[in-house]
Amino acid sequence: MKMVYLDNNATTAVAPEVVEEMLPYLRDHYGNPSSMYGMARQTALKIRESRARVAGLLGASPEEIVFTSCGTESDSTAIWAAIRTTPLKRHIMTSRVEHSAIKNLYEYLAHNGYRVTFVPVDGKGRLDLDYLYDHLSEDTAVVSLMWANNETGVLFPVAEVAREVKARGVVFHTDAVQAVGKIPMDIDRTDIDLLSLSGHKLHAPKGVGALYVRKGTKFTPFMIGGHQEGNRRGGTENVSSIVALGKAAELAAGLLEEENTRVKALRDRLESGILAAVPHAIINGDTEHRLPNTTNISFEYIEGESILLMMDELGICASSGSACTSGSLEPSHVLRAMGVPYTAAHGSVRFSLSVYNTREEIDYVIEKLPPIIERLRAMSPFWKSAQAG
Ligand code: PLP
């Protein structure tokens, strides 16, 4: 059966060039990078190259990159470092639409003595900047904002916010897991202190990530152990995955242009094709400031999960809400924070593309999806009463 993979915000295929680059570090070069002989030194040198490649994608210096096991670890490391290095401050801020990696950590901290401000968004998922600035105080330890929303693709103006936040002496972290490799970045020119990224969102394998730590930022490790990563993250390095992340970063830098032209055009084609064929379909989120690969569409009066199951029978992979929340019937906290009505939030589907998608695949989805929606609506009491009323 044909397979059309449109769930790249959940995870991505490992690029063939990445597999090629990492394999020798699983098969042949197994030396511990901390050891003293030639084979081990070679792995240490390769890690150094990977660090420079990741730094290159961000516009950072290699010493500012700390390899971790995933985006979640990078997020936790950043927030714990920010609060442990400012022990007298008891207030922390984030938005209401963060990924669970930040959301659940902040909720944990709220139950453990921290005063937490969750900044609201408007109906298009845009941050309420006045609310944010009004709630900053002498007591604020850290502001953490995602660069791009994983469900809607909406971009927050993190560089602008970082400038304001830093001017008031507060640490600024961004969860850039969905943004890295999809939009250009020049982190050195911003006031961002800490930035999280994850390998499996940019065609490296699962289980590797990185944290950018601006030179001079106060830091304390999350994983306390050996001297790896310049004393910033204990634990023997996951060499092959770090090599993979380095290669993926290099590839992503070369594909940024394509991501923002061809992939964006495919996303727009998908979106307009669906909207033209399906009544009561609504795009969720700000379409102006958005990732080039993502669209989140609500099909009113039906369940997103049913749409996914029927698309799956035709080989189409997409997502309703974020992968982590599927399995629960609660509509996504992101769409709820945006005030999307229940009838629309329940029927939301996220399509997220990559450079591996083709026009033929998009046309296949545009052809197959409308009859699915029609069949589901024919069975939906909500649709029938909306039509009658
Ligand atoms: N932050 C965002 C915005 C994400 O989309 C994800 C994964 O979906 C994460 C953090 C967590 O990354 P990881 O799966 O590497 O832990």
Side-chain angles (χ1 to χ4, degrees):
M1 185 175 66
K2 189 185 179 76
M3 193 182 82
V4 179
Y5 187 74
L6 298 178
D7 202 15
N8 288 278
N9 288 10
T11 197
T12 57
V14 181
E17 299 91 330
V18 167
V19 176
E20 281 305 305
E21 187 107 352
M22 73 186 288
L23 274 182
Y25 291 86
L26 284 172
R27 211 166 31 205
D28 309 316
H29 311 303
Y30 49 81
N32 187 322
S34 299
S35 300
M36 296 306 290
Y37 32 82
M39 178 178 67
R41 270 201 307 279
Q42 194 198 338
T43 59
L45 282 176
K46 192 68 183 172
I47 289 179
R48 187 191 289 184
E49 181 190 77
S50 300
R51 203 180 302 283
R53 285 170 160 177
V54 172
L57 179 62
L58 302 180
S61 302
E63 322 78 72
E64 296 175 315
I65 304 302
V66 178
F67 289 114
T68 64
S69 69
C70 59
T72 303
E73 185 192 322
S74 300
D75 284 345
S76 273
T77 304
I79 303 306
W80 282 112
I83 61 179
R84 283 182 178 141
T85 54
T86 52
L88 298 179
K89 297 185 173 187
R90 306 303 289 177
H91 174 234
I92 56 178
M93 293 177 83
T94 188
S95 82
R96 283 180 61 190
V97 295
E98 298 293 312
H99 184 272
S100 49
I102 287 290
K103 177 177 174 279
N104 290 349
L105 174 60
Y106 267 64
E107 281 168 6
Y108 170 86
L109 291 168
H111 285 114
N112 287 273
Y114 279 86
R115 196 163 56 78
V116 179
T117 302
F118 290 99
V119 180
V121 295
D122 70 8
K124 290 190 164 188
R126 293 174 301 205
L127 201 64
D128 186 336
L129 292 176
D130 290 337
Y131 189 98
L132 193 161
Y133 299 142
D134 286 350
H135 285 77
L136 274 173
S137 78
E138 300 263 291
D139 195 36
T140 311
V142 59
V143 174
S144 176
L145 290 178
M146 62 200 324
W147 198 319
N149 188 277
N150 47 302
E151 294 188 29
T152 59
V154 171
L155 299 169
F156 281 162
V158 288
E160 178 190 328
V161 179
R163 196 165 53 238
E164 292 291 328
V165 166
K166 284 303 292 175
R168 303 185 204 193
V170 176
V171 174
F172 185 82
H173 165 254
T174 182
D175 174 345
V177 164
Q178 292 294 344
V180 171
K182 293 177 189 156
I183 54 171
M185 286 179 185
D186 198 352
I187 206 76
D188 201 32
R189 287 171 177 266
T190 71
D191 291 301
I192 293 167
D193 296 306
L194 300 153
L195 174 150
S196 305
L197 66 94
S198 173
H200 74 104
K201 310 290 185 180
L202 60 143
H203 304 291
K206 294 154 191 68
V208 64
L211 178 66
Y212 158 86
V213 183
R214 177 178 295 279
K215 226 171 284 166
T217 304
K218 282 193 201 155
F219 188 81
T220 180
F222 181 59
M223 303 254 291
I224 296 170
H227 297 301
Q228 293 88 356
E229 297 298 304
N231 289 319
R232 291 171 297 182
R233 199 253 186 193
T236 302
E237 297 87 340
N238 180 355
V239 178
S240 58
S241 292
I242 289 172
V243 170
L245 178 55
K247 183 65 185 173
E250 185 192 66
L251 289 175
L255 289 169
L256 266 177
E257 166 99 30
E258 181 175 346
E259 188 83 40
N260 286 277
T261 50
R262 192 182 68 82
V263 175
K264 182 170 185 289
L266 286 181
R267 188 276 312 273
D268 292 345
R269 182 179 180 85
L270 176 69
E271 204 166 72
S272 52
I274 291 173
L275 291 190
V278 181
H280 290 273
I282 305 155
I283 310 287
N284 292 311
D286 182 7
T287 52
E288 203 180 322
H289 302 105
R290 188 170 53 152
L291 288 174
N293 79 318
T294 308
T295 178
N296 185 312
I297 307 181
S298 276
F299 300 95
E300 285 186 292
Y301 309 113
I302 49 177
E303 292 279 341
E305 283 73 17
S306 316
I307 305 171
L308 293 190
L309 290 175
M310 290 178 80
M311 287 201 300
D312 185 35
E313 284 173 13
L314 299 170
I316 303 167
C317 309
S319 181
S320 71
S322 74
C324 311
T325 59
S326 58
S328 103
L329 278 178
E330 268 294 290
S332 112
H333 73 281
V334 175
L335 298 185
R336 272 183 293 140
M338 290 162 59
V340 175
Y342 267 63
T343 44
H346 271 298
S348 88
V349 177
R350 175 188 71 188
F351 300 93
S352 47
L353 286 66
S354 82
V355 288
Y356 294 117
N357 290 122
T358 63
R359 186 168 158 154
E360 187 209 348
E361 290 178 336
I362 296 305
D363 289 347
Y364 176 77
V365 179
I366 294 173
E367 179 199 329
K368 298 294 179 192
L369 184 60
I372 291 178
I373 306 295
E374 221 172 289
R375 272 170 62 198
L376 288 171
R377 280 185 177 157
M379 295 184 276
S380 158
F382 305 109
W383 173 250
K384 283 179 197 151
S385 64
Q387 293 303 98

